[in-house]
C-alpha cells in the first residue's frame, strides 16, 4: 500500500490495503498487522534530532544506554545535552512527539478505534524513538495499543503472543525507577485469572523500513533491534479505562447517595450488613440502561476539540437524536447530574435571577459518573448553553431528583415554541445520557 499520510486509521492501514472495518473485526486487540509502504508520511515537522528534542513537550528526555544485559536510563532536561548524548555518546532517545503531531493523531485514532467508548475514557500519546545502530530492547510487553511508523532507517521486530489485557507493561527501561518493579509484579498477579497463553507460540520477525507500519496489541511481547543509523520512528500509543473501572465507578456513584455508605469506616463497621445492602438494594438498581452513554454523533463532532470543554448550544446545534426518536417517557439517570454553569449556583434559580432578560444565555454542566472517584472527576462532562427560560425549566423541573419522569407529550405542551425548545433540550439530555428510556410508547407496547 502507498499513502502520503497517516492522519487517521484508514491511511495507517494503507487506504484500502486493509479496511478499517476488517481491521477492527479481525485484528484490533487480537493480532499484529504489518503494512508495507515505500512512502514516508510527513507526520513530524522535521527529522532533525536536535529540532525534535527542542520541540518535544516532555519535561525530560530519556537517554538509553546498553550495559551488558541491562538498559541504563539517563533522564536529561536539556534538549541540547540529550542530542549530544545521542550523537557523541551513542544513546538512543525516547520522548513525546511535538503537540501539533501528537494531539491530532491520538484524538483521531481513539475515534477510529472506539477505544475508551462513548464516555471518552480513552487517552494516549505519540512517542518518538531515535535509535542507534545495535541498540536492542529485549522482550517486554506494553499495556497500550500500539501503532508504529518507521520514518528513517530499519528496525527488526520479533513478536510473540503474551498476556491478555495486561494492567501494566514490563519494559526494562524503567525497572530502576522506585516502585515500578513492585507495580509490575502486582499487576502480573492478576494475569493467571485472565489467562496467559498456555503454550508460547513461535515468535515472528519482521523488519520495518521507512514508510512501513506495524500495529501490535497490548500484551504482545516484542524485541526491537535498531539495524542502522540514522534511525527514527514514532508510535501512537492508546489506552483506556478498564471495564472494571466503569462498572465500579457506577456502583460507587450509587453507594455514595446513601448515608450508610458515605459514613467513614470505624472499628465496629458491619461490612457484612453493608455488603448485604449492596447486593440486595443497590446492585439491582444498577441496570444496564443506567450506564447510558453519550450519543456517538456528539462525540464524533469535529467542531469540538477533545482537550477542550464540550459546549452545545441547545437551540442552534444539530440534535443528537431526532425529536421523533425520543422515548415516550424519559427517566432521570441516577449516574448523571446537571449543575449550574458559569457563575450560577447549583440551586434552583431565584426570583431575582428569573427576572433577567429572556435573551440571556445561561449554561448548565452535565456530568456522568462523577461519584466514581475521590476527586469527583466525571467520566464525561459537557456544557449546555441555552436561553434563561430553558435554564429555569431545567432546574425547576429536573433538579437532582432521581425519580424524575417526564412524558414526551407533556413536555411538548400544545405545540408552542416553548414546548419545541423544551423538547430540543430533552433531546440533548437524552443524547448525553442524563435521561434513559422509561416505559414504552403505549402505541408500540
Amino acid at each position: 500500500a502507498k499513502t502520503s499520510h497517516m492522519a487517521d486509521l484508514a491511511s495507517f492501514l494503507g487506504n484500502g490495503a486493509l479496511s478499517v472495518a476488517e481491521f477492527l473485526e479481525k485484528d484490533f486487540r487480537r493480532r499484529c498487522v504489518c503494512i508495507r509502504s515505500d512512502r514516508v508520511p510527513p507526520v513530524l515537522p522535521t527529522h532533525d534530532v536536535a529540532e525534535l528534542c527542542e520541540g518535544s513537550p516532555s519535561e525530560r528526555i530519556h537517554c538509553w544506554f546498553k550495559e551488558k544485559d541491562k538498559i541504563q536510563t539517563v533522564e536529561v532536561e536539556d534538549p541540547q545535552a540529550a542530542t549530544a548524548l545521542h550523537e557523541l555518546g551513542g544513546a538512543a532517545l525516547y520522548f513525546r512527539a511535538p503537540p501539533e503531531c501528537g494531539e491530532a493523531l491520538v484524538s483521531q485514532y481513539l475515534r477510529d478505534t472506539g477505544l475508551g467508548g462513548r464516555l471518552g475514557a480513552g487517552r494516549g500519546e505519540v512517542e518518538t524513538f531515535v535509535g542507534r545502530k545495535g541498540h536492542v530492547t529485549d522482550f517486554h510487553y506494553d499495556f497500550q495499543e500500539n501503532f508504529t511508523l518507521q520514518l528513517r532507517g530499519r528496525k527488526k521486530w520479533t513478536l510473540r503472543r503474551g498476556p491478555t489485557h495486561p494492567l501494566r507493561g514490563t519494559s526494562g527501561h524503567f525497572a530502576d525507577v522506585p516502585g515500578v518493579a513492585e507495580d509490575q509484579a502486582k499487576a502480573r498477579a492478576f494475569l493467571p485469572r485472565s489467562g496467559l497463553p498456555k503454550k508460547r507460540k513461535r515468535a515472528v520477525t519482521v523488519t520495518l523500513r521507512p514508510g512501513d507500519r506495524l500495529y501490535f496489541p497490548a500484551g504482545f511481547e516484542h524485541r526491537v533491534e535498531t539495524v542502522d543509523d540514522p534511525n527514527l520512528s514514532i508510535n501512537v500509543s492508546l489506552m483506556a479505562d478498564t471495564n472494571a473501572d466503569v462498572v465500579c465507578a457506577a456502583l460507587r456513584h450509587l453507594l455514595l447517595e446513601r448515608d450508610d455508605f458515605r459514613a467513614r469506616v470505624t472499628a465496629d463497621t458491619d461490612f457484612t450488613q453493608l455488603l448485604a445492602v449492596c447486593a440486595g438494594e443497590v446492585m439491582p438498581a444498577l441496570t444496564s440502561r443506567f450506564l447510558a452513554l453519550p450519543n456517538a454523533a456528539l462525540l464524533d463532532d469535529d467542531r469540538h476539540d477533545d482537550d477542550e470543554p464540550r459546549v452545545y448550544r441547545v437551540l442552534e446545534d444539530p440534535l443528537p437524536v431526532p425529536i421523533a426518536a425520543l422515548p415516550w417517557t424519559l427517566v432521570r439517570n441516577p449516574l448523571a447530574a446537571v449543575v449550574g454553569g458559569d457563575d450560577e449556583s447549583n440551586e434552583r434559580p431565584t426570583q431575582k435571577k428569573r427576572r433577567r432578560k429572556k435573551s440571556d444565555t445561561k449554561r448548565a454542566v452535565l456530568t456522568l459518573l462523577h461519584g466514581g472517584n475521590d476527586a469527583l472527576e466525571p467520566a464525561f462532562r459537557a456544557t449546555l448553553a441555552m436561553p434563561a427560560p430553558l435554564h429555569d425549566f431545567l432546574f425547576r423541573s429536573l433538579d437532582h431528583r432521581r425519580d424524575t419522569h417526564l412524558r414526551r407529550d407533556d413536555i411538548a405542551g400544545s405545540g408552542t415554541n416553548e414546548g419545541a425548545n423544551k423538547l430540543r433540550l430533552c433531546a440533548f439530555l437524552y443524547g448525553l445520557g442524563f435521561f434513559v428510556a422509561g416505559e414504552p410508547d403505549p402505541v408500540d407496547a
Side-chain angles (χ1 to χ4, degrees):
K2 296 183 179 181
T3 179
S4 60
H5 60 86
M6 58 173 286
D8 54 20
L9 184 57
S11 56
F12 179 89
L13 297 174
N15 284 325
L18 175 64
S19 72
V20 172
E22 184 179 2
F23 170 77
L24 294 178
E25 179 184 356
K26 298 180 179 179
D27 304 310
F28 186 54
R29 303 198 299 174
R30 293 177 178 86
R31 60 184 183 181
C32 303
V33 176
C34 179
I35 305 293
R36 295 295 187 184
S37 174
D38 58 3
R39 293 188 179 183
V40 178
V43 293
L44 293 178
T46 178
H47 287 181
D48 182 80
V49 175
E51 293 181 11
L52 288 173
C53 289
E54 288 285 352
S56 172
S58 296
E59 294 182 0
R60 296 179 179 85
I61 295 174
H62 293 256
C63 304
W64 294 335
F65 298 90
K66 189 74 172 180
E67 293 185 359
K68 296 182 180 179
D69 296 330
K70 185 178 180 181
I71 295 176
Q72 182 67 35
T73 300
V74 177
E75 297 184 13
V76 178
E77 295 182 1
D78 183 2
Q80 294 182 354
T83 303
L85 287 175
H86 169 71
E87 295 178 347
L88 303 177
L93 305 182
Y94 165 77
F95 50 87
R96 289 163 59 196
E100 61 269 23
C101 163
E103 294 172 1
L105 286 177
V106 168
S107 297
Q108 186 62 51
Y109 279 46
L110 287 174
R111 283 194 292 268
D112 291 345
T113 61
L115 196 65
R118 296 182 185 175
L119 282 173
R123 54 199 179 278
E125 62 183 6
V126 177
E127 306 159 304
T128 306
F129 295 88
V130 183
R132 290 307 304 261
K133 182 179 179 180
H135 182 88
V136 176
T137 300
D138 211 348
F139 278 109
H140 66 285
Y141 59 80
D142 306 321
F143 68 94
Q144 306 97 330
E145 304 295 323
N146 297 279
F147 299 81
T148 291
L149 169 66
Q150 189 69 26
L151 296 173
R152 300 182 73 184
R154 294 171 296 162
K155 273 189 177 178
K156 180 180 178 182
W157 290 72
T158 306
L159 304 110
R160 63 192 185 195
R161 190 173 297 276
T164 303
H165 306 308
L167 296 178
R168 295 286 190 277
T170 58
S171 174
H173 297 103
F174 308 102
D176 293 334
V177 178
V180 169
E182 180 180 340
D183 282 348
Q184 292 179 351
K186 289 185 292 187
R188 283 196 299 271
F190 290 102
L191 294 180
R193 303 175 188 177
S194 59
L196 285 165
K198 295 181 180 179
K199 187 176 181 181
R200 190 178 300 282
K201 294 185 177 182
R202 186 177 62 181
V204 175
T205 298
V206 59
T207 298
L208 297 186
R209 296 174 175 81
D212 291 344
R213 304 98 195 276
L214 174 68
Y215 162 75
F216 58 99
F220 258 76
E221 297 180 345
H222 49 286
R223 179 183 185 273
V224 187
E225 177 183 353
T226 302
V227 178
D228 48 22
D229 290 323
N231 205 287
L232 177 65
S233 62
I234 64 169
N235 183 64
V236 182
S237 173
L238 305 181
M239 65 203 84
D241 292 349
T242 66
N243 293 332
D245 292 330
V246 177
V247 172
C248 289
L251 179 59
R252 186 179 190 271
H253 188 109
L254 293 185
L255 291 175
L256 290 178
E257 293 185 345
R258 300 177 57 101
D259 292 345
D260 47 354
F261 282 91
R262 285 198 313 275
R264 306 296 178 175
V265 175
T266 64
D268 58 352
T269 296
D270 187 350
F271 287 107
T272 300
Q273 173 62 22
L274 289 175
L275 288 172
V277 171
C278 180
E281 300 180 26
V282 181
M283 286 295 292
L286 188 59
T287 63
S288 59
R289 66 174 181 165
F290 289 149
L291 280 173
L293 305 176
N295 186 282
L298 291 171
L299 297 190
D300 291 339
D301 192 338
D302 291 334
R303 295 172 302 157
H304 298 283
D305 189 326
D306 288 351
D307 294 325
E308 297 294 330
R310 296 176 179 273
V311 179
Y312 302 99
R313 299 189 178 280
V314 173
L315 299 188
E316 301 170 14
D317 289 347
L319 290 175
V321 293
I323 298 297
L326 282 177
W328 178 259
T329 303
L330 297 169
V331 178
R332 159 87 151 77
N333 183 357
L335 300 178
V338 170
V339 297
D342 295 336
D343 296 329
E344 300 297 327
S345 69
N346 297 343
E347 300 175 355
R348 299 182 186 182
T350 63
Q351 284 297 124
K352 183 177 180 180
K353 290 175 182 175
R354 289 175 185 164
R355 295 193 196 104
R356 291 180 178 178
K357 295 180 180 179
K358 292 185 178 181
S359 60
D360 288 349
T361 297
K362 301 175 73 174
R363 297 188 175 197
V365 176
L366 182 145
T367 65
L368 285 175
L369 291 178
H370 64 267
N373 54 80
D374 288 338
L376 300 184
E377 288 288 338
F380 179 82
R381 183 182 188 276
T383 299
L384 295 173
M386 67 200 79
L390 269 187
H391 189 273
D392 292 351
F393 161 75
L394 174 61
F395 284 91
R396 189 170 59 247
S397 301
L398 309 182
D399 205 356
H400 300 284
R401 295 189 300 272
R402 287 186 55 184
D403 59 349
T404 297
H405 286 62
L406 293 178
R407 292 168 62 88
R408 189 176 66 198
D409 288 356
D410 293 339
I411 300 170
S414 58
T416 62
N417 286 339
E418 180 182 358
N421 290 344
K422 290 179 180 178
L423 284 176
R424 286 188 63 90
L425 172 60
C426 289
F428 274 96
L429 293 173
Y430 179 67
L432 287 166
F434 180 83
F435 280 136
V436 295
E439 62 189 52
D441 187 325
V443 176
D444 299 329

